[in-house]
Amino acid sequence: MALSVDSALYRWQRLGAESPSHALSESTPLQFPLGDKPKLNLNKWRIVFPSNGRQWNNWKQASMFYSANRIQTTKYTWFTFLPQFLFEQFHRLGNLYFFFLVVLNWFPQVEVFHREITMLPLIVVLLASMIKDAIEDYRKYQFDKTINLSKTRVYDKEEHAYVEKCWKDVRVGDFVQLQCNETIPADILLLYSSDQNGVCHLETANLDGETNLKQRQVVMGFSSQNTLFEPEFFQNTIICEMPNNDLNKFKGYMEQPNHERIGFNIESLLLRGCTIRNTEAAVGIVIYAGHETKAMLNNSGPRYKRSKVERRMNMDIFLCVGLLFVMCLVGAVGHGIWTGNFSEHPPYDVPDENGSFLSPVLAGFYMFLTMIILLQVLIPISLYVSIELVKLGQVFLVHNDIDLYDEEADLPIQCRALNITEDLGQIQYIFSDKTGTLTENKMVFRRCTVDGIEFSHQENARRLETHKELDLDDEDFAKLQHFTLPPMNIERPAAYKQRTMRPLRRCQSARAHFQGHTRNRSLGRCDSNQSQVAFSSTIEKDVTPDSRLLRRVREAALQTENLSPFIHMKTSTSLTDFFLALAICNTVLVSTTTEPRQRVTVPPPIKPSGITLEKIHQIFQRLKLASLSQSFSSSQSSSDLGASFSARNTEEHLAALDCCTNDNDCSASSRGDELQGKGSTDIGSASLDEVFKSVTNRSLPTDFCYEAESPDEAALVYAAQAYSFTLVSRTPEQVTVRLPQGTLLTFDILYTLGFDSVRKRMSVVVRHPLTKEIVVYTKGADSVIMDLLEDSAKADLSAERRMKRIKEKTQKHLDYYARDGLRTLCIAKKVLNEDDFQKWANFRREAEAAIDNREELLMETAQHLETKLTLLGATGIEDRLQDGVPDTIAALREAGIQIWVLTGDKQETAVNIAYSCKLLNQRDTVFTINTENKETCESLLNLTLEEVRKNYKVEKPQRKFFGLIPTSFSASEAPSPEFGLVIDGRTLNIIFQGGLEEKFLALTKHCRSVLCCRSTPLQKSMVVKLVRRQLKVMTLSIGDGANDVSMIQAADVGIGISGQEGMQAVMASDFAISRFKHLKKLLLVHGHWCYARLAKMVIYFFYKNVSYVNLLFWYQFFCGFSGSTMIDYWQMIFFNLFFTSVPPLVFGVLDKDVSAETLLGLPELYKNGQNSEIYNLSTFIITMLDAFYQSLICFFVPYLTYKDSDIDVFSFGNPINTISLLTILLHQALEMNTWTLFHLVTMMGSVVFYFVFSLIYNAACVICNPPTSPYWIMEKQLSDPTFYLLCLVTPVIALLPRFVIFALRGTFGASLILKAQQLDKLPKGQQDLEIQKLRSRKQTTSGASPVSNDDLEQNISHLCVSPFLHPAAAAVSHGDAESQGLSASEVNPFRKQTPEDGYYFFNRWAEEESTATDSSAGPFSGHYPLVPSRVTTHGQDGGKLTEGNAHSFNHGSHRRSVSAVTL
């Protein structure tokens, strides 16, 4: 398409009028003929002209439409501050109501107060809000100013050179030159990089918190420039998508003068706020500037939500308005009746100028309006501003809690939403992500399987256990590791030994300033351990190799060197390919430990290692030949596992069992010894270790840092490095790996297909340097990789048998890994011929150059390549549970909170983690529903719901009956088990699409925990919205990654964890914490306090205002409903604004009804807030009645005292005002649980201020309020003993009922809160004892005591019948199994009695035939123990497992003997 029309204006009009672009075919050429132009829609595409003078008019016209680079995050400007502020404030109904009263008071017919006095409350409230907003906005203004005045280098067409300009002066189309370590001022398309490969490296910490480097590539066609980029000669026009907030997507193309198009994507876009690293200079053209940049479009700032208390408060304000209306109506009607009773007009009723009088009806109407002004204080105007101030104080206290500070990450809690603190105390449902939220997101390589043979890595497991127990510093741990595993250190290559003994020391990085919170490292102990390289902690890096696998790798290396026939070529090929895939199938950047931010692009020179490249070439050719020509006997794939390792070692024994599943698969047990023997003679009379020492001593001198985009990638690269397949360097075109022999192999990277959540895999296409083959290495989720494997039926018989066997065994290992809580990845490869590759490459290039449907085309090309794969093996990576997660979950559940886990992870992994973190208990019945059919799903939900309800009906009475009798339950007498539900993403789709939400929710209401596995981000948010809207409950979502953002935003309270996955979750959240365990104190302590304080404060405000206003109302009955008052106007206005305003604020910020220790010790106290016990309709009504009662006492006691006396109006009103003040403050004192100096000073200060002000005002005000005057009133009364008597007696009578109720409630029906308050008064030791007693009593009455994993002494079989099971199986229902008292071993028909019964292995869980004596056999699937259980099963021996073996494999495995039938 030509963009060279003479008139720029004409072009813009023409382009804007054209229809939207049509979808391009898959065969879109890179070059369009002139007549076949695609049409552009300017609402969808942006056109960028370069500002180098060549298209000056076009650029000038276009720049008018695009945002400048100046940013403004302030809400106001100097000119808009007042009007915009007032406009926002009068959106509040309360402020609007008071403004209406101010206007009303200006009409003489209804005037009550002086006009200025009526305005005062509104002005004070608005002024307080205005000052707060102005201070906040000024801080933002200063920050914006600093950013806008930052300098960068921009190309100037006049001077033909780069000149320094402020960021705010940069425009779309400008050429910007960036230096190393410079922050990027706008979104820039990369056109030149000083890097020889056209690569620029970014650190995106300011944007998403990730410290690992990202690669950006110069636009295709510009990377081959050898000279400096000259903007003057740039003639292309850029067409790209409109500004949007998607940080991961960007597409467009560049049109050259000859109409040729060059496509580009997010890989060529430098985002504003990121920092250039490892690149001396980079040049690009500005695409988006200022508020149109992706960073600014993502920066929504703090979120404003309305809390539950505030919503309740708004309802009660309407009730107060109703009450006001009734009181005004009474006043109006009373006034009408009063005036109607006079036979002639009284002397104070003045006629108008015509001599006519107001009719009683009109007089009543005017009195109605007058009463509204008089009783206006009934609506608490100061409540809104008071709540804002209290919440600021609460946020300050939460933010400064040292227990919520993470010393390791140097991060305190961030409170991003300032107005929902009290919602933390009312949460009923928590929705949590798993990875990085419950777990650390520190991926540690644990196990692997290659060619169907499992390697347990027991030494590594022991290392992790030691690390976990001792939690030592890097150096201490390295020493410990060195001394505790001497055999491994002898066998380990020298380079590995060096690395283990001398841990990396890493430099400190400049942390990001994020959301106004400085993340600088403290100078504490943790500083030295912190890495600026992500995912490179000691526990992640130092992988201890498995001795068997290490020996195989070395044997393969030595035998290939000597071309020895003793090891089969196929096995060594699989091993080599497996570790090569781990090393290169990723996007990991390599840097050195000395300069962690400097990439290694050229491998350092090494000394010749004795193995020449020619020899290696011969080896690979031979391997290739062997894999193609030789038919394979399965007997040769296995090796001796029993000779070198004792059968006492459980894992090795299991591996032996696994290998020898039938007689044909077992090889001679002496093969390993024979091999070793021959090795010592054939290989130049040198032992294996000596040969390797000689090789590795000549190896690379440098240690490497790996900068990965995800922790999984880093873990796999470190695992490959442990076996001497070391990733040495990476550029966009090449990747270099050092082999165990010490030789470097440099692969040409032809394509990299990145990981995405749809394909769930990533691939790298490389050309092998020796065989010249084009190889595709793929790694991904087993659920997808297993379906993409080559069909074994097409191969010959022996190869088919072998492929089938490897696939089956690998699948068993994967299932085992998942049940052990490990994250699984499958590794596969594919060899392409040149023709197929060229066809695919052409298809890929067309897809990359497409404008429309680009993502779909790219996805299609990737899927086309990733088929007919050959399985190499699989890995199991452990994502360790965070500290304190089980305790936190147990406490939250005790607090009555339902916890759901929504994860994209495998079902087995999620279930295992759920058991590990006490989300599920051994006693629980776990229902697993997986289906893709609506009818099936509906019937399963009905069946399960019926089963659950039946259980609840039958068991609940028994639990109440036996509630107080501590019984030792046997399996058959056990209390009703709790229920758990496990459901997958496909089933969730059916539920949402098939209208089964109500049944699903009905079932989940009865479930202790719900696990939604394999769920997408959209499904997560849909689940949260469903529960929140349908069940009308308070929800909290917590997550740490970009995939949790929608879930976090859908909940009432969103919490982001600032972990390893960047800051997207934090940016979307209301609160940000660094560890899941902080949730315990945040909710149970701060949540409870914030709710209790604010709820009491709000209800106190209503009480205070109603109590005070009623004094004026009662007076109307004695003044002919004339709207006059017995209290001075200024005293009335100041009463709410100053005399009684500060104590509630101090109360709202500092009051603690129960101490933090007791709240943590008794989580049940949290239910107080969940049930809204402090502030609800009933407490509101009771408080209003109490306010009416107190106002009656405060009015009528003085009235009766002064009745028939000759005192004036103000002398009557002053004692009432004083008594009311004392009563209201003493009422506050009764409510206070904490007394500090602040409380005392504010309470006493309020009384003193009142008297001082009254004395000064009454002395000075001689003619302030004609015809009446408050002159010398207070002075006279202070000399009257009656006044003092009234001030003592009246508050006591007014507060007596409340005090009596408090006393009776504490004596007879003490609630848990009151008991907790009593506990707080006890000494520490006695307090702990009483808390234990209370907890044990609670657990006894609830029917079941909590049982820890290790203490469970019985097996309970939980069965649920599926309609798809074998009829015989369906006959056994849950009830039957329990009533017969069958143990798990008896109900489970697959548990086979074997001599080594102590070693149950995962491959027995669902495939062996039943040989048990029980008649009810059927194909159940169940969760079985992955290691020998510590329990002794009924009727047969438990596992004969030694304590040492149990210890070596206890992490991550859930010891339970529970079968939960999958539906």
Side-chain angles (χ1 to χ4, degrees):
M1 139 185 163
L3 288 171
S4 52
V5 181
D6 293 335
S7 165
L9 181 63
Y10 171 72
R11 179 195 297 105
W12 282 85
Q13 289 169 344
R14 179 177 63 79
L15 288 176
E18 284 173 348
S19 60
S21 52
H22 63 271
L24 296 171
S25 67
E26 289 177 2
S27 57
T28 308
L30 286 172
Q31 202 170 334
F32 276 112
L34 194 60
D36 190 24
K37 303 172 193 171
K39 295 176 181 177
L40 281 177
N41 178 2
L42 284 185
N43 293 324
K44 188 176 176 185
W45 300 101
R46 158 168 289 199
I47 302 178
V48 178
F49 298 102
S51 68
N52 55 4
R54 286 178 174 265
Q55 302 184 48
W56 175 247
N57 290 332
N58 293 345
W59 176 82
K60 197 173 181 182
Q61 184 128 3
S63 64
M64 290 163 52
F65 291 87
Y66 300 145
S67 168
N69 203 40
R70 183 178 177 275
I71 64 158
Q72 179 189 328
T73 58
T74 56
K75 193 194 288 186
Y76 312 106
T77 65
W78 294 109
F79 303 107
T80 64
F81 178 65
L82 198 61
Q84 193 178 341
F85 170 78
L86 291 174
F87 178 75
E88 283 193 3
Q89 288 299 319
F90 287 124
H91 266 70
R92 285 182 167 175
L93 288 177
N95 292 341
L96 206 59
Y97 161 77
F98 277 94
F99 181 69
F100 164 71
L101 294 183
V102 168
V103 173
L104 199 63
N105 198 56
W106 280 70
F107 291 93
Q109 296 91 333
V110 294
E111 184 182 349
V112 178
F113 307 126
H114 292 306
R115 294 166 185 178
E116 299 78 15
I117 295 176
T118 321
M119 295 168 65
L120 191 67
L122 185 64
I123 288 170
V124 168
V125 167
L126 292 179
L127 206 61
S129 298
M130 189 184 285
I131 291 167
K132 185 176 78 71
D133 276 19
I135 291 169
E136 280 182 9
D137 229 44
Y138 185 70
R139 283 178 183 166
K140 288 181 184 174
Y141 167 75
Q142 295 283 32
F143 180 74
D144 291 347
K145 192 176 174 184
T146 308
I147 297 286
N148 288 327
L149 295 179
S150 302
K151 300 291 185 184
T152 191
R153 291 170 61 78
V154 179
Y155 183 77
D156 189 298
K157 63 178 176 47
E158 307 291 338
E159 298 186 24
H160 303 289
Y162 291 100
V163 297
E164 229 178 45
K165 281 190 181 181
C166 293
W167 277 26
K168 65 185 176 67
D169 299 325
V170 174
R171 294 284 182 275
V172 172
D174 280 350
F175 292 94
V176 178
Q177 185 185 60
L178 300 163
Q179 309 293 330
C180 189
N181 299 327
E182 187 178 340
T183 306
I184 300 163
D187 288 356
I188 293 171
L189 189 68
L190 185 62
L191 300 176
Y192 168 79
S193 169
S194 56
D195 185 277
Q196 58 186 359
N197 302 297
V199 169
C200 177
H201 289 88
L202 296 183
E203 186 181 82
T204 59
N206 286 352
L207 201 62
D208 58 15
E210 296 179 13
T211 53
N212 49 302
L213 294 188
K214 311 282 195 308
Q215 280 189 6
R216 291 293 178 263
Q217 184 75 46
V218 166
V219 174
M220 206 184 305
F222 288 83
S223 56
S224 56
Q225 297 172 347
N226 295 321
T227 56
L228 278 173
F229 175 77
E230 293 291 347
E232 197 177 338
F233 303 119
F234 185 85
Q235 302 178 51
N236 302 348
T237 306
I238 294 161
I239 292 93
C240 62
E241 63 188 14
M242 294 298 281
N244 59 64
N245 64 355
D246 194 334
L247 292 169
N248 302 311
K249 283 183 184 171
F250 172 69
K251 63 182 177 182
Y253 66 89
M254 194 180 286
E255 178 153 323
Q256 299 179 340
N258 62 359
H259 314 309
E260 190 176 311
R261 283 191 312 129
I262 299 169
F264 49 75
N265 58 18
I266 193 70
E267 293 301 314
S268 302
L269 190 69
L270 308 180
L271 297 179
R272 177 189 174 114
C274 299
T275 308
I276 301 284
R277 301 282 190 210
N278 293 359
T279 311
E280 285 178 24
V283 177
I285 185 169
V286 176
I287 301 291
Y288 308 122
H291 288 278
E292 291 181 340
T293 56
K294 289 182 180 286
M296 291 303 293
L297 289 171
N298 270 282
N299 185 12
S300 55
R303 305 171 62 225
Y304 291 92
K305 294 181 177 179
R306 281 169 110 197
S307 67
K308 191 178 178 182
V309 167
E310 215 169 312
R311 293 197 297 270
R312 167 84 251 169
M313 188 182 83
N314 287 342
M315 291 295 296
D316 290 343
I317 282 179
F318 279 111
L319 289 175
C320 285
V321 169
L323 182 63
L324 178 68
F325 182 82
V326 170
M327 290 165 77
C328 293
L329 200 62
V330 169
V333 171
H335 184 69
I337 294 169
W338 177 282
T339 52
N341 282 341
F342 286 97
S343 53
E344 59 183 49
H345 291 286
Y348 60 80
D349 196 359
V350 183
D352 59 15
E353 66 270 12
N354 300 322
S356 54
F357 290 91
L358 286 176
S359 68
V361 174
L362 192 58
F365 174 70
Y366 281 152
M367 186 47 60
F368 182 83
L369 297 177
T370 303
M371 291 290 284
I372 286 180
I373 299 170
L374 180 69
L375 306 178
Q376 60 176 303
V377 186
L378 189 67
I379 310 299
I381 185 175
S382 56
L383 181 54
Y384 286 109
V385 74
S386 300
I387 284 174
E388 281 188 16
L389 293 171
V390 162
K391 285 182 178 178
L392 280 175
Q394 290 179 349
V395 163
F396 176 79
L397 291 178
V398 171
H399 182 78
N400 286 284
D401 187 343
I402 195 71
D403 293 337
L404 301 181
Y405 168 73
D406 184 12
E407 191 179 351
E408 187 184 339
D410 189 24
L411 285 175
I413 181 173
Q414 293 178 46
C415 304
R416 293 169 48 78
L418 306 178
N419 52 347
I420 56 168
T421 48
E422 69 275 24
D423 277 353
L424 291 170
Q426 299 179 278
I427 301 300
Q428 291 157 289
Y429 277 74
I430 289 179
F431 300 91
S432 173
D433 178 37
K434 182 183 75 67
T435 307
T437 304
L438 299 177
T439 58
E440 288 184 336
N441 205 16
K442 281 187 180 175
M443 305 301 175
V444 182
F445 183 84
R446 277 298 304 269
R447 313 166 77 93
C448 68
T449 169
V450 187
D451 254 0
I453 301 167
E454 209 273 334
F455 299 97
S456 63
H457 288 72
Q458 277 207 300
E459 296 89 345
N460 202 37
R462 277 199 291 273
R463 174 184 77 90
L464 295 174
E465 279 305 316
T466 316
H467 192 283
K468 186 182 175 189
E469 286 169 17
L470 298 177
D471 194 23
L472 296 172
D473 288 345
D474 289 359
E475 288 168 358
D476 297 339
F477 174 65
K479 286 175 193 166
L480 176 89
Q481 190 186 33
H482 180 54
F483 286 118
T484 51
L485 299 170
M488 286 311 301
N489 283 339
I490 293 164
E491 287 193 358
R492 203 174 291 154
Y496 181 78
K497 239 166 104 174
Q498 260 185 345
R499 182 161 45 81
T500 312
M501 292 164 64
R502 183 174 49 77
L504 306 180
R505 309 303 298 173
R506 295 175 294 273
C507 303
Q508 173 185 347
S509 72
R511 298 303 297 239
H513 288 267
F514 187 74
Q515 288 296 333
H517 174 68
T518 310
R519 294 176 57 190
N520 291 327
R521 295 280 179 198
S522 64
L523 297 173
R525 178 191 57 79
C526 63
D527 200 327
S528 58
N529 293 351
Q530 286 305 324
S531 164
Q532 69 176 17
V533 181
F535 321 126
S536 61
S537 64
T538 311
I539 196 166
E540 293 168 288
K541 279 176 34 185
D542 294 340
V543 179
T544 309
D546 182 271
S547 48
R548 287 187 300 136
L549 184 55
L550 188 65
R551 188 163 290 278
R552 278 170 180 258
V553 170
R554 291 175 176 181
E555 286 168 355
L558 290 169
Q559 301 296 352
T560 46
E561 182 184 356
N562 290 274
L563 304 180
S564 169
F566 299 117
I567 185 160
H568 202 281
M569 289 302 134
K570 186 72 180 182
T571 312
S572 62
T573 306
S574 295
L575 279 173
T576 307
D577 274 332
F578 178 78
F579 284 111
L580 280 176
L582 294 193
I584 68 176
C585 187
N586 50 57
T587 55
V588 172
L589 296 179
V590 187
S591 55
T592 62
T593 52
T594 50
E595 296 179 80
R597 280 299 189 218
Q598 297 304 313
R599 281 180 310 131
V600 178
T601 52
V602 182
I606 59 162
K607 297 173 185 175
S609 63
I611 308 174
T612 61
L613 272 175
E614 290 77 17
K615 202 161 187 180
I616 291 281
H617 186 72
Q618 291 172 17
I619 293 164
F620 272 96
Q621 288 294 353
R622 175 163 178 192
L623 292 180
K624 183 181 170 187
L625 205 66
S627 62
L628 291 171
S629 63
Q630 204 160 1
S631 78
F632 219 88
S633 159
S634 59
S635 64
Q636 288 173 299
S637 69
S638 58
S639 65
D640 164 52
L641 305 177
S644 307
F645 303 95
S646 164
R648 198 180 300 162
N649 185 318
T650 313
E651 286 304 321
E652 303 299 345
H653 189 81
L654 295 178
L657 288 174
D658 186 36
C659 275
C660 305
T661 47
N662 59 51
D663 296 336
N664 296 335
D665 278 358
C666 284
S667 60
S669 64
S670 60
R671 179 177 294 276
D673 298 328
E674 179 187 331
L675 191 64
Q676 214 170 352
K678 294 202 177 187
S680 60
T681 54
D682 292 352
I683 306 169
S685 68
S687 75
L688 199 97
D689 291 334
E690 285 168 5
V691 171
F692 259 81
K693 277 179 186 172
S694 68
V695 170
T696 51
N697 283 339
R698 295 190 297 268
S699 301
L700 294 173
T702 321
D703 281 341
F704 296 105
C705 286
Y706 296 123
E707 304 206 29
E709 289 191 20
S710 76
D712 301 71
E713 282 195 342
L716 295 180
V717 174
Y718 285 123
Q721 189 185 31
Y723 289 95
S724 302
F725 285 83
T726 307
L727 177 61
V728 173
S729 74
R730 175 186 298 279
T731 68
E733 284 84 27
Q734 291 186 327
V735 58
T736 304
V737 179
R738 185 184 69 199
L739 298 181
Q741 300 92 323
T743 309
L744 295 180
L745 281 187
T746 300
F747 295 82
D748 290 330
I749 299 175
L750 305 176
Y751 279 96
T752 301
L753 309 180
F755 179 88
D756 65 66
S757 56
V758 179
R759 286 169 38 248
K760 294 183 180 174
R761 57 187 178 272
M762 85 159 285
S763 298
V764 60
V765 187
V766 295
R767 188 182 296 279
H768 202 290
L770 303 175
T771 63
K772 301 303 177 189
E773 288 176 329
I774 294 170
V775 186
V776 182
Y777 287 113
T778 303
K779 69 174 181 194
D782 55 315
S783 55
V784 290
I785 297 288
M786 286 300 195
D787 296 334
L788 298 173
L789 297 180
E790 192 172 7
D791 189 3
S792 56
K794 294 176 185 173
D796 57 66
L797 191 62
S798 61
E800 180 189 345
R801 281 180 58 207
R802 180 181 175 281
M803 286 163 69
K804 194 175 176 185
R805 182 180 65 80
I806 288 175
K807 185 177 176 181
E808 285 173 358
K809 289 197 169 190
T810 305
Q811 187 60 59
K812 287 178 192 173
H813 297 150
L814 284 166
D815 293 340
Y816 170 44
Y817 291 172
R819 287 169 187 280
D820 197 20
L822 303 182
R823 291 163 66 88
T824 54
L825 278 176
C826 279
I827 314 295
K829 69 172 274 195
K830 175 184 183 177
V831 179
L832 286 175
N833 62 44
E834 282 289 343
D835 292 342
D836 289 344
F837 174 71
Q838 287 306 329
K839 283 180 191 170
W840 179 84
N842 290 335
F843 186 22
R844 180 76 179 180
R845 276 195 293 272
E846 288 175 4
E848 285 172 345
I851 305 179
D852 287 321
N853 304 323
R854 184 177 184 171
E855 282 76 18
E856 292 82 352
L857 290 170
L858 289 172
M859 183 73 69
E860 194 180 325
T861 58
Q863 289 170 343
H864 182 73
L865 181 73
E866 296 161 334
T867 54
K868 299 181 181 176
L869 303 172
T870 304
L871 185 64
L872 296 173
T875 58
I877 296 173
E878 181 185 1
D879 187 6
R880 302 160 71 86
L881 267 186
Q882 286 185 21
D883 288 341
V885 167
D887 293 340
T888 303
I889 286 177
L892 294 174
R893 177 168 288 118
E894 229 177 298
I897 299 173
Q898 287 266 54
I899 301 174
W900 292 29
V901 172
L902 312 178
T903 177
D905 226 330
K906 280 191 72 173
Q907 197 161 285
E908 293 85 350
T909 310
V911 167
N912 192 283
I913 292 291
Y915 277 96
S916 304
C917 64
K918 294 187 181 174
L919 202 62
L920 292 173
N921 197 294
Q922 280 86 346
R923 294 181 183 276
D924 296 351
T925 304
V926 181
F927 298 104
T928 306
I929 302 179
N930 297 331
T931 179
E932 292 184 61
N933 181 284
K934 186 195 166 185
E935 291 73 22
T936 309
C937 185
E938 190 169 6
S939 63
L940 287 176
L941 286 171
N942 288 332
L943 180 84
T944 316
L945 196 53
E946 190 183 327
E947 182 74 20
V948 169
R949 283 174 177 161
K950 196 195 307 173
N951 239 294
Y952 265 75
K953 280 176 194 168
V954 172
E955 296 289 351
K956 286 291 177 190
Q958 289 184 353
R959 290 171 70 169
K960 284 178 187 172
F961 182 74
F962 291 112
L964 297 170
I965 307 169
T967 318
S968 177
F969 293 103
S970 69
S972 57
E973 304 171 302
S976 171
E978 299 281 353
F979 297 100
L981 178 66
V982 180
I983 198 163
D984 70 344
R986 294 170 305 172
T987 315
L988 276 177
N989 265 345
I990 300 297
I991 287 168
F992 284 122
Q993 290 166 11
L996 303 174
E997 293 99 328
E998 285 187 18
K999 286 180 181 174
F1000 171 63
L1001 286 177
L1003 174 60
T1004 59
K1005 273 196 240 176
H1006 295 295
C1007 292
R1008 163 191 172 97
S1009 296
V1010 179
L1011 268 73
C1012 300
C1013 311
R1014 293 287 192 209
S1015 48
T1016 63
L1018 181 64
Q1019 285 174 333
K1020 289 181 178 185
S1021 68
M1022 286 170 75
V1023 167
V1024 175
K1025 284 175 187 168
L1026 176 71
V1027 172
R1028 184 165 63 90
R1029 289 171 184 167
Q1030 298 289 329
L1031 299 183
K1032 302 283 190 293
V1033 290
M1034 290 293 289
T1035 56
L1036 179 147
S1037 289
I1038 179 167
D1040 72 318
N1043 60 332
D1044 303 315
V1045 167
S1046 52
M1047 170 177 86
I1048 286 170
Q1049 290 177 334
D1052 292 294
V1053 178
I1055 294 191
I1057 288 192
S1058 45
Q1060 305 251 333
E1061 284 191 32
M1063 303 296 276
Q1064 291 97 323
V1066 169
M1067 287 161 75
S1069 67
D1070 303 309
F1071 298 89
I1073 56 179
S1074 53
R1075 313 290 289 174
F1076 185 83
K1077 67 180 180 184
H1078 292 161
L1079 199 60
K1080 182 178 176 181
K1081 188 169 187 188
L1082 183 63
L1083 295 189
L1084 301 187
V1085 178
H1086 288 291
H1088 174 88
W1089 282 345
C1090 288
Y1091 167 73
R1093 290 162 177 167
L1094 206 80
K1096 285 178 181 174
M1097 191 193 88
V1098 167
I1099 214 158
Y1100 175 76
F1101 259 93
F1102 282 119
Y1103 148 78
K1104 176 166 75 90
N1105 287 27
V1106 170
S1107 174
Y1108 191 66
V1109 158
N1110 275 348
L1111 299 174
L1112 305 177
F1113 181 66
W1114 303 136
Y1115 182 65
Q1116 299 309 304
F1117 288 90
F1118 299 92
C1119 69
F1121 298 97
S1122 60
S1124 58
T1125 65
M1126 72 291 192
I1127 302 169
D1128 180 75
Y1129 300 149
W1130 284 102
Q1131 294 268 21
M1132 284 171 61
I1133 296 298
F1134 274 44
F1135 191 90
N1136 268 324
L1137 280 182
F1138 301 113
F1139 302 152
T1140 59
S1141 61
V1142 182
L1145 294 181
V1146 175
F1147 173 80
V1149 174
L1150 296 176
D1151 193 62
K1152 295 179 184 176
D1153 56 347
V1154 184
S1155 68
E1157 294 76 16
T1158 310
L1159 286 169
L1160 291 172
L1162 289 171
E1164 296 94 342
L1165 295 169
Y1166 186 79
K1167 291 176 184 173
N1168 183 52
Q1170 269 182 341
N1171 305 329
S1172 300
E1173 289 175 16
I1174 296 174
Y1175 181 31
N1176 51 43
L1177 187 60
S1178 60
T1179 55
F1180 175 76
I1181 291 169
I1182 290 167
T1183 305
M1184 291 299 100
L1185 292 173
D1186 191 27
F1188 268 85
Y1189 164 77
Q1190 289 188 27
S1191 66
L1192 279 167
I1193 297 297
C1194 290
F1195 181 82
F1196 282 100
V1197 169
Y1199 170 75
L1200 294 170
T1201 305
Y1202 290 114
K1203 193 179 178 186
D1204 300 329
S1205 68
D1206 60 350
I1207 63 167
D1208 65 286
V1209 174
F1210 283 165
S1211 297
F1212 170 61
N1214 193 56
I1216 293 177
N1217 200 31
T1218 309
I1219 288 163
S1220 180
L1221 176 82
L1222 294 173
T1223 306
I1224 285 169
L1225 289 175
L1226 286 170
H1227 181 109
Q1228 173 88 82
L1230 277 179
E1231 293 291 329
M1232 282 184 183
N1233 298 288
T1234 309
W1235 279 92
T1236 65
L1237 190 64
F1238 285 111
H1239 292 81
L1240 209 61
V1241 166
T1242 52
M1243 294 291 272
M1244 299 301 292
S1246 294
V1247 177
V1248 170
F1249 179 56
Y1250 167 74
F1251 279 107
V1252 169
F1253 173 81
S1254 298
L1255 287 168
I1256 295 170
Y1257 173 66
N1258 289 170
C1261 187
V1262 181
I1263 49 164
C1264 325
N1265 197 10
T1268 55
S1269 173
Y1271 180 71
W1272 216 251
I1273 296 289
M1274 182 61 84
E1275 283 80 353
K1276 281 181 185 172
Q1277 299 224 315
L1278 284 176
S1279 60
D1280 182 9
T1282 313
F1283 176 78
Y1284 291 104
L1285 187 65
L1286 279 174
C1287 288
L1288 283 172
V1289 173
T1290 315
V1292 172
I1293 300 170
L1295 294 170
L1296 196 60
R1298 176 165 285 264
F1299 185 77
V1300 168
I1301 290 167
F1302 276 13
L1304 291 175
R1305 198 173 58 182
T1307 309
F1308 297 111
S1311 66
L1312 196 59
I1313 289 279
L1314 284 168
K1315 288 177 184 172
Q1317 287 169 355
Q1318 289 160 11
L1319 286 179
D1320 280 339
K1321 295 167 187 171
L1322 299 173
K1324 185 76 176 76
Q1326 196 178 343
Q1327 186 181 328
D1328 294 342
L1329 202 67
E1330 289 297 324
I1331 287 175
Q1332 287 302 320
K1333 280 184 191 173
L1334 266 174
R1335 290 190 68 165
S1336 59
R1337 203 175 305 149
K1338 277 271 172 195
Q1339 287 156 4
T1340 313
T1341 52
S1342 67
S1345 59
V1347 183
S1348 70
N1349 289 3
D1350 295 336
D1351 296 340
L1352 187 68
E1353 290 298 330
Q1354 66 269 11
N1355 299 318
I1356 303 165
S1357 173
H1358 306 313
L1359 303 175
C1360 180
V1361 183
S1362 165
F1364 310 114
L1365 296 179
H1366 190 275
V1372 185
S1373 71
H1374 183 316
D1376 296 337
E1378 280 203 331
S1379 63
Q1380 293 168 24
L1382 299 175
S1383 69
S1385 57
E1386 291 173 302
V1387 174
N1388 167 23
F1390 308 118
R1391 174 113 179 242
K1392 194 170 172 181
Q1393 284 281 17
T1394 61
E1396 50 293 327
D1397 201 342
Y1399 312 117
Y1400 332 139
F1401 194 47
F1402 60 90
N1403 63 352
R1404 306 192 184 167
W1405 63 281
E1407 68 173 5
E1408 295 181 1
E1409 301 245 357
S1410 169
T1411 54
T1413 53
D1414 185 42
S1415 59
S1416 56
F1420 293 99
S1421 95
H1423 303 311
Y1424 287 98
L1426 306 173
V1427 293
S1429 180
R1430 289 193 186 179
V1431 302
T1432 305
T1433 54
H1434 178 69
Q1436 67 191 68
D1437 290 346
K1440 302 174 180 64
L1441 175 69
T1442 65
E1443 193 174 334
N1445 290 340
H1447 175 72
S1448 70
F1449 193 69
N1450 65 358
H1451 184 77
S1453 58
H1454 47 276
R1455 301 185 187 83
R1456 64 189 190 282
S1457 198
V1458 177
S1459 78
V1461 172
T1462 302
L1463 301 176

